[in-house]
Each structure stands twice: as structure tokens, then as C-alpha cells.
Amino acid sequence: MTKIVTPDPLRFAKGELVLLDQRKIPEKKTYIRIKSASGAAKAIKDMIVRGAPAIGIAAAYGMVLGRKNPERSAKMLIAARPTAVNLKWAVDQMLKVKDRSCKAMLAKAEELDKENKKLCARISENGAKLIKKSSRVMTHCNAGPLATDGIGTALGVIFAARKNIDTVYIKETRPRLQGARLTAWELKQWKIPCLLISDGMAAHIMKTSGVDAVIVGADRIASNGDSANKIGTYDLAISAKYHNVPFYIAAPYSTIDFSAKSEKDIAIEYRDEKEMLFIGGKAISAPGIRALNPSFDVTPASLITAIITEKGVIQKPSLKTMRKFYS
Ligand code: MRU
């Protein structure tokens, strides 16, 4: 498996969940030690750990900490962030463990952690085959090691295809700047050529400089391929369609919600308006102004060229192609 040069976003040591505080990256590396399921749920809600696969694994360890009251712990952890289905997936796996001893619960969480790393590696290899020589690739938010506790999904593909990459355009990703703060940090350490752009620049770059592929992760994919990801992904998919740029989603099976028929069944997380109104604690808008802050949007399957998974690539995702692929 590929060696990851960036620090682990999470680990379980001496009976505690240790989280790299992603809110502080790239300024500093600080770690927060969590001792309870409620502490894990709060850390997920506050985005100390973030990214769908990583919060799933953090929740699995949170279930180890909350093993004495599993139903309550499960409820708290699942509610921490409503869109990313990996949370529910991991918690459900943990609830299936009949032996609620620390040893048995920890063994299951470690198994999920290990499996998740393998899924990321396979997604990366499968996706790399789609990236042609000298590609200019655009990405949104952060779908690398910090978001996955593995090599990444979308960024994993970029890493695996690094010899074919000319430039990665990183959308800064307002309001929490996961692109500017985290993706840029990871790509710099991987020494992959990249340029930071603001969110509103994507269509212009496609028209003027040219983009060969867009690749992003996902937080929940419905049975028909509709895919929820960081707010701004839908705009990006529309721009890609208009400019004939292939638009790829990279995600493991733990991100697929087979109980959701389409985007209508995907809950969108709304976050505090302060994320919009302040930057670094400083107000940036008119006093008293209100703001909207949906954290995710859903890209309809019709705008997605293919979904890259650990099993292979689902071209033209739809209810039919998804059903066939996972049958
Ligand atoms: O709000 P975040 O930072 O948790 O959002 C993360 C994303 O939208 C990622 O693109 C998604 O979780 C996929 S990560 C492999």
C-alpha cells in the first residue's frame, strides 16, 4: 500500500481516540484526545475530524468509547453530521458486534479502519486509469488522506495518476476553505503541481485554460447515482457538462445509501451562519446580515460521467447501471 506522507487524521491509542485538529491545518499540527462517545460526536460536529470516510472511522472508535451505552452512543454519533452516510454505515457495523467488550469492539473498529484504507487504495488505482497524459484536473473540497484516513478518494486518484498530471486546480471551497487549507497542503507535500482558484473561477478556467477532468469525492450517493458532496460541487458539474469536461465522483461502497432512491432522500446539513459571516473571527459582512449555509449539494446522476469505486468504474450512473454493478 502507498505510504502516506501527511499525518494520520486519527488513531486510537491507550484507550483514547486521538484526532488531528483539522481546523488548525495548515497553521499547526495539534492533537485532541477524546475519551467518550459524546466527545467523539462533538469533534465530528465541530469538524476537528471531517470528510465522509474519516468521520465514519472516527465514529467506529467513538462506539468503542461508548460501548457501555451503545444505542445512545450510536444515536449521538449518527446525528453529528446528517449528510455523510459513512457515519451511519460505520455505527451500524459496530452495533452488529454482539460482544460489547473493549477488546471485541476495538477489533471491529480496527477492521473497518483497515478495510477503509484498502478501499481508498483500490479506488485510487481504478481511477488513475482514467487520467490521460498531461492532464489538467480540477477538484473541490478535500478528499485526500485527511478526509479518508487512507490515501484518499478523489485525491487518491490524483496521487496514483501523478505522472500524468500537468496541474491540479484546487477550488478554495467556501466557507470552510477545505480546498485552500487542506487539499493544497496535501498536494504540496506530494509535490504535485497545483494552483489554487476561488470557487467562482471554475467555469472561466475551463473555458480559457482548459480542464481535462473534474474529480471529487462524495458524502452520500443514492441508488440512482445522485451524489451529495461539498456545496459548490453541483455548480462545478454543470460547468463541466457545458464545457464537455468529464466529471468523476470517487467513493467507496460505504458512501452509497441504497435506501435512498434519489436526491430527494438525501438530507442536507445546514451549518451555523457564522461560518459565512466571519473569517478567522473577523466579521466580513454588514452588521446584522443573515446568511444561508447549506454544507452540501446534490449533483444529479445525469451530470456524472462515472463513479469510481473500489470494484471498478460505473459509467453513466443510473438506477439501472448502479443496480447491475452492485448485484
Ligand atoms: O464538510 P466536510 O469537510 O466533511 O466535507 C467533505 C467533503 O465534502 C468531501 O468531498 C467528502 O466527504 C468526500 S471525502 C473522501
Side-chain angles (χ1 to χ4, degrees), residues 22 44 47 49-55 81 84 86 120 140-144 146-148 152-155 173 176 178 181-182 216-220 228-231 233 250-252 255 269 271 295-296:
Q22 297 194 33
I44 291 168
M47 295 176 67
V49 60
R50 40 127 327 261
I55 59 177
R81 296 204 63 193
N86 306 59
C120 287
H140 186 57
C141 196
N142 171 258
L146 291 168
T148 59
T153 54
L155 280 204
T173 320
R176 292 191 67 108
Q178 289 94 329
R181 295 189 301 106
L182 311 176
V216 295
D219 285 75
R220 188 183 296 237
N229 191 50
K230 181 52 54 197
I231 191 76
T233 303
T255 302
E269 174 184 0
R271 295 186 61 84
S295 192
F296 297 95

Side-chain angles (χ1 to χ4, degrees), residues 114-266:
K114 222 166 155 185
E115 186 200 354
N116 172 60
K117 286 180 168 64
K118 277 192 197 149
L119 295 175
C120 287
R122 282 196 217 121
I123 289 168
S124 308
E125 284 156 24
N126 291 339
K129 294 176 199 146
L130 299 169
I131 308 297
K132 300 189 187 89
K133 255 198 165 336
S134 308
S135 281
R136 296 151 301 177
V137 179
M138 191 173 281
T139 191
H140 186 57
C141 196
N142 171 258
L146 291 168
T148 59
D149 193 34
I151 190 68
T153 54
L155 280 204
V157 171
I158 287 170
F159 182 78
R162 60 197 177 281
K163 290 205 176 82
N164 282 347
I165 301 280
D166 174 82
T167 309
V168 181
Y169 292 107
I170 309 166
K171 284 180 72 199
E172 64 174 351
T173 320
R174 273 278 289 153
R176 292 191 67 108
L177 304 176
Q178 289 94 329
R181 295 189 301 106
L182 311 176
T183 299
W185 191 68
E186 291 176 332
L187 291 182
K188 281 307 274 180
Q189 288 178 73
W190 286 346
K191 299 187 170 47
I192 294 178
C194 53
L195 284 169
L196 182 62
I197 60 168
S198 73
D199 292 342
M201 294 175 188
H204 174 74
I205 304 281
M206 284 178 192
K207 189 167 71 177
T208 55
S209 312
V211 171
D212 302 294
V214 171
I215 175 158
V216 295
D219 285 75
R220 188 183 296 237
I221 301 176
S223 317
N224 69 344
D226 290 351
S227 298
N229 191 50
K230 181 52 54 197
I231 191 76
T233 303
Y234 176 38
D235 307 38
L236 186 57
I238 292 171
S239 299
K241 185 84 171 180
Y242 187 81
H243 293 97
N244 282 319
V245 177
F247 182 90
Y248 300 116
I249 295 269
Y253 78 93
S254 50
T255 302
I256 298 173
D257 180 358
F258 291 100
S259 74
K261 286 200 187 112
S262 71
E263 69 170 299
K264 289 194 193 79
D265 300 318
I266 300 180

